[in-house]
Amino acid sequence: MTETAITDAPAIDDEVVLVEVTDGVMVISINRPRARNAVTLQVSQAVAAALDELDERSDVTVGVLTGVGTSFCAGMDLKAYARGERPSIEGRGFGGLTERPPLKPLIAAVEGHALGGGFELALACDLVVASRGATFGLPEVRRGLVAAAGGLLRLPHRVPTSVAMHLVLTGGTLTAEEAHQWGLVNELTEDGESLRHARQLAARIAANGPLAVAASKQVIMQHEQWPVADRFRAQRELLDPVFRSADAQEGARAFTEKRTPQWKGC
C-alpha cells in the first residue's frame, strides 16, 4: 500500500469533502482538519465524485484541491488502514485522483503538511501553490510502506533522479522553498494565503476559453505516450474540435471588437 497518515478523528463538519463553485472555479476541500486531512475511503469517494462534477459541468473550467485547517493532507489514515480499509478506488487511485486526474486543470493549494499520499495528491495536480510553511515528503518507508499512489512514478519526472531517490529512500522532507526551487511548487505565498492565491491563479485560467484550456492540458499530459512521428496527427485529434468550436469564433470576434469574450464551452 502507499501513503502515510495520522488518525481517524472525525471532521468538525459531517461532510468529509466540501465543494464550492464560484466564477468558473471549483474548490474541493478535504474536511478532516483534526486528522490533518488524512484520507479515508469515504474521502476518496467524495473527491472522485467532485472531480467527475468538475469535468461534467460546462460552467466550470478549473479546480482547486485543498485541505481545511492548517494541513493540506497528511496521507492515508493509518488507523483505517490497520482496520483493513484501503482508501483507493479502482481505476481512480488514492484519493480518487492519483490514477485518473480530471480532464480539466487542477491546482493544489497547500498549507502545512503534504506528506505521503498528500504529496502524491499534489503531484497529481497540474499546478501547486504553497505557503512558505508547507512541508512535502514521502515518508512511507519509515512505516514499512511504499509510495504507490504515484510518488515513485511522478517525482522522478519532476526533479532529478538523485533528488527523488534521496527523498524516497530516506523518507525525508522538502520545505516549500526547496520544492519551489525544484519546480514542484509554482507559486509561494505567506502562511494562510495559499488558497487565496490559488483562487487568483484559477481565475486567470478560467478567463480563457474552456475548450482550449482542457485540450491544451490533455496534449501536454498525453504527448509523451505518442510515437514521435505521430505526435502532430494525435494532437490534431484533440485540437481540431477546438478550432471548429463556437468559442474559437467568439474569441476571434472579441479580439477584433476589443471586448471580453463570452465563452459557451462549445
Side-chain angles (χ1 to χ4, degrees):
M1 196 54 191
T2 78
E3 304 73 24
T4 60
I6 290 306
T7 172
D8 61 352
I12 293 173
D13 193 291
D14 288 339
E15 296 181 86
V16 295
V17 171
L18 307 177
V19 178
E20 172 197 350
V21 175
T22 307
D23 297 328
V25 178
M26 176 180 287
V27 177
I28 303 167
S29 303
I30 302 174
N31 186 34
R32 304 189 70 228
R34 288 186 284 180
R36 289 196 287 175
N37 297 316
V39 173
T40 62
L41 179 59
Q42 185 182 10
V43 170
S44 295
Q45 292 168 336
V47 170
L51 295 177
D52 284 342
E53 183 181 355
L54 169 66
D55 277 339
E56 291 165 3
R57 289 183 60 160
S58 61
D59 62 331
V60 179
T61 302
V62 58
V64 175
L65 179 66
T66 193
V68 173
T70 58
S71 282
F72 175 69
C73 175
M76 179 174 68
D77 189 311
L78 283 181
K79 288 191 175 181
Y81 173 76
R83 294 195 300 266
E85 181 181 287
R86 302 296 182 266
S88 293
I89 299 174
E90 183 71 27
R92 304 294 291 261
F94 176 78
L97 167 63
T98 56
E99 291 182 27
R100 200 180 88 194
L103 297 175
K104 295 177 181 177
L106 186 62
I107 303 169
V110 179
E111 297 281 341
H113 297 94
L115 299 175
F119 189 13
E120 290 173 302
L121 290 177
L123 286 170
C125 293
D126 302 297
L127 299 166
V128 178
V129 176
S131 69
R132 295 184 184 278
T135 302
F136 299 84
L138 296 171
E140 282 84 349
V141 292
R142 297 184 180 182
R143 304 288 182 266
L145 301 171
V146 290
L152 302 181
L153 300 174
R154 289 189 171 101
L155 189 60
H157 291 279
R158 304 283 296 277
V159 300
T161 302
S162 60
V163 175
M165 197 73 77
H166 184 270
L167 278 173
V168 169
L169 299 186
T170 66
T173 60
L174 290 174
T175 66
E177 296 270 3
E178 291 169 330
H180 184 253
Q181 291 170 5
W182 287 118
L184 293 169
V185 169
N186 298 91
E187 293 187 16
L188 280 176
T189 76
E190 298 306 314
D191 290 349
E193 292 291 303
S194 65
L195 180 56
R196 183 172 71 85
H197 283 260
R199 285 180 184 272
Q200 292 174 348
L201 177 58
R204 290 167 56 194
I205 296 171
N208 300 320
L211 297 180
V213 165
S216 296
K217 169 182 171 174
Q218 291 311 305
V219 172
I220 291 174
M221 297 302 294
Q222 296 179 29
H223 78 278
E224 289 187 348
Q225 304 168 22
W226 303 332
V228 173
D230 201 38
R231 286 182 179 176
F232 277 93
R233 183 203 61 78
Q235 176 181 257
R236 281 194 295 272
E237 292 184 6
L238 291 172
L239 301 189
D240 280 357
V242 178
F243 284 101
R244 293 193 299 266
S245 70
D247 273 0
Q249 294 298 313
E250 167 63 10
R253 284 194 300 269
F255 175 78
T256 59
E257 296 168 8
K258 296 181 173 58
R259 60 174 174 82
T260 301
Q262 301 300 309
W263 309 118
K264 301 297 184 183
C266 62

